[in-house]
Amino acid sequence: MVEKKDIEKLIIQNKKSTLKNHWNDSFFYNTTKYSGEIKQNEILIWRSSQFLRSVYPIFHLTFDQNNKLNGIKTEKNPYHKLLNKASTGFFILLVLVLLITTKLEIAVVGIIGISLIGTLLHLVVSKSKKYETKLLTDELKESIENIEQTNNPELINKPKTELKKENIKEWTFTKILTRLLLYPFCLILLWFSITGFLPEGKTLYGIFGIIVALAYPIADILLIIGKNKNYS
């Protein structure tokens, strides 16, 4: 079993898990070091993710009375929680502005449009977050296994965890249905942004629409390619 003192060696930057510290860490990406907070019977450890810097998880490592590792769990970091609350507040504010400043019919159409765009962005972020969390979890568990084998040479020939060999299915019924719905929607939004907003001089709306329309397909394709490389 791995002891608490061994895990502490993984931490290069010893600091508290505060909103300010996670705000700073979300702007930097480092593949070799961990930040962490060392407590009496627990260690909080984290590092930023490669693509989505702010939504990395915090790993809670708990130890028994003999300081032996007995559990690992994850939770959102404080900055990620703040972003979720800010996004919800921004959506509510947009809905109120539409209801107050426009006719009811236009407001309803606008709310539906905002909801669709918000759902699309949420799917992109959720998909990327799941993939990033999987990579970070595999990386941490591999580091712990390496420590365990260093402390116990007799375990060197022991097979490592099969997590990295697990092939996540990308063509389940749910994922196929999601793509059948969202890809056409993205194409329609892209076409409308290029042929509707831009010719009318609404450049800002056009650019925003193009970015939103391309976000999901690009993220989806990159994640599929990335998974094939990592699990091949």
Side-chain angles (χ1 to χ4, degrees):
M1 294 293 292
V2 179
E3 296 186 6
K4 185 170 179 283
K5 63 181 181 180
D6 297 318
I7 303 295
E8 291 176 0
K9 295 177 183 178
L10 294 175
I11 298 176
I12 304 300
Q13 295 182 345
N14 187 358
K15 53 188 175 183
K16 290 187 177 295
S17 178
T18 62
L19 176 60
K20 179 181 178 181
N21 285 331
H22 287 291
W23 166 279
N24 293 331
D25 287 348
S26 67
F27 291 100
F28 300 98
Y29 168 62
N30 192 300
T31 60
T32 59
K33 69 181 181 181
Y34 285 102
S35 298
E37 180 178 353
I38 301 173
K39 299 183 178 181
Q40 184 175 0
N41 296 315
E42 184 181 37
I43 292 179
L44 280 58
I45 192 170
W46 66 86
R47 77 169 181 83
S48 60
S49 59
Q50 184 172 4
F51 298 110
L52 298 176
R53 306 295 175 85
S54 62
V55 299
Y56 58 84
I58 297 176
F59 295 98
H60 288 247
L61 284 67
T62 55
F63 303 86
D64 59 22
Q65 294 179 347
N66 297 318
N67 280 331
K68 302 290 186 181
L69 179 65
N70 64 3
I72 301 176
K73 61 181 180 179
T74 62
E75 72 169 21
K76 297 176 182 177
N77 70 71
Y79 181 51
H80 185 194
K81 294 178 182 178
L82 178 62
L83 286 179
N84 286 344
K85 293 179 180 179
S87 299
T88 302
F90 182 69
F91 173 77
I92 294 174
L93 181 61
L94 283 178
V95 170
L96 291 176
V97 169
L98 284 173
L99 291 174
I100 294 173
T101 61
T102 62
K103 295 181 180 180
L104 181 60
E105 296 82 0
I106 299 176
V108 171
V109 173
I111 291 172
I112 293 174
I114 293 172
S115 299
L116 288 174
I117 293 174
T119 301
L120 180 60
L121 292 176
H122 174 72
L123 287 172
V124 172
V125 173
S126 296
K127 189 178 182 68
S128 300
K129 177 181 176 293
K130 183 178 179 180
Y131 176 57
E132 290 283 341
T133 300
K134 176 93 171 75
L135 292 182
L136 292 174
T137 303
D138 288 348
E139 179 186 71
L140 178 60
K141 288 188 175 183
E142 183 176 8
S143 297
I144 293 174
E145 284 184 349
N146 289 336
I147 293 174
E148 186 175 18
Q149 290 185 350
T150 299
N151 294 339
N152 303 277
E154 67 275 10
L155 298 177
I156 290 179
N157 294 325
K158 178 184 175 182
K160 290 192 174 183
T161 179
E162 295 295 320
L163 282 172
K164 284 198 169 184
K165 296 181 180 179
E166 178 185 353
N167 188 15
I168 298 177
K169 295 181 180 180
E170 277 300 325
W171 301 104
T172 61
F173 174 78
T174 302
K175 292 183 178 181
I176 291 174
L177 181 61
T178 300
R179 288 175 177 132
L180 288 175
L181 293 174
L182 289 180
Y183 272 81
F185 172 75
C186 292
L187 288 175
I188 293 173
L189 181 59
L190 180 63
W191 175 82
F192 185 78
S193 298
I194 294 175
T195 61
F197 288 132
L198 293 180
E200 293 181 3
K202 299 179 179 179
T203 306
L204 184 61
Y205 293 141
I207 294 175
F208 178 75
I210 292 172
I211 293 174
V212 172
L214 295 177
Y216 176 76
I218 292 176
D220 188 49
I221 293 171
L222 288 177
L223 287 175
I224 292 175
I225 294 174
K227 288 176 183 178
N228 289 335
K229 288 182 179 179
N230 280 281
Y231 296 103
S232 59

